[in-house]
Amino acid sequence: MSKVFSAHAVSVDGYITGRNPGPGRGIGDGTSLFDWYGDGDTASRLFDGFRLSEPSARIFDTLAGRVGAVVAGRNTYEDSGRFGGGSPHPTARVFVLSHRPAPELSEQQTLVTGGIEERSRRRARPPAIRTSASWAAESWPRP
């Protein structure tokens, strides 16, 4: 049986994004929440371009190496530019939770429209995930 662990990055205002997020603008203005991905001197073994402090890189790569699936909300999916047709993780599939159809999905992306219960009730759950699942934090409903 797979283990599920959760990794969230949320600022004090409850969002993972800055002001004005969206397609072509990524997570918006004010990216300091994620600055630690690039302000160190040790390259991540899994994520190209990530440079963390040595202790952070060791922990980050250990946990990231266990991820077999990412669950993301529709706003995060759209704000990220649909993860460029891939996933926020270099090797893991992404499952996008939404009540609306997605215009384009790649083979690495799966749309789940009935909520997490729909996905967990299915008897045949291809692809089988033999590693851990990770959650991409979804911002609170936007005003």
Side-chain angles (χ1 to χ4, degrees):
M1 172 165 234
S2 296
K3 293 182 181 180
V4 175
F5 71 92
S6 175
H8 297 275
V10 179
S11 63
V12 176
D13 66 1
Y15 294 87
I16 65 166
T17 60
R19 289 184 179 14
N20 303 312
R25 294 186 307 274
I27 61 172
D29 306 324
T31 60
S32 61
L33 194 59
F34 299 103
D35 284 351
W36 69 279
Y37 288 153
D39 66 2
D41 56 2
T42 304
S44 168
R45 293 176 320 210
L46 301 171
F47 284 76
D48 290 338
F50 280 32
R51 297 196 62 79
L52 306 104
S53 69
E54 192 278 325
S56 292
R58 188 172 54 245
I59 293 167
F60 179 84
D61 284 343
T62 298
L63 290 174
R66 294 175 39 202
V67 173
V70 175
V71 178
R74 180 61 179 268
N75 287 341
T76 300
Y77 173 74
E78 294 294 345
D79 289 348
S80 71
R82 300 180 184 142
F83 302 117
S87 169
H89 189 280
T91 61
R93 293 182 61 85
V94 63
F95 294 85
V96 180
L97 304 179
S98 180
H99 295 290
R100 300 173 283 138
E104 300 173 19
L105 292 169
S106 73
E107 289 186 19
Q108 198 175 2
Q109 301 172 334
T110 300
L111 181 68
V112 180
T113 57
I116 199 74
E117 296 85 10
E118 169 194 331
R119 192 70 190 156
S120 61
R121 275 196 306 261
R122 293 183 185 175
R123 288 184 182 255
R125 291 186 275 196
I129 298 169
R130 307 217 187 289
T131 55
S132 300
S134 172
W135 298 79
E138 175 67 15
S139 56
W140 295 100
R142 297 201 174 132

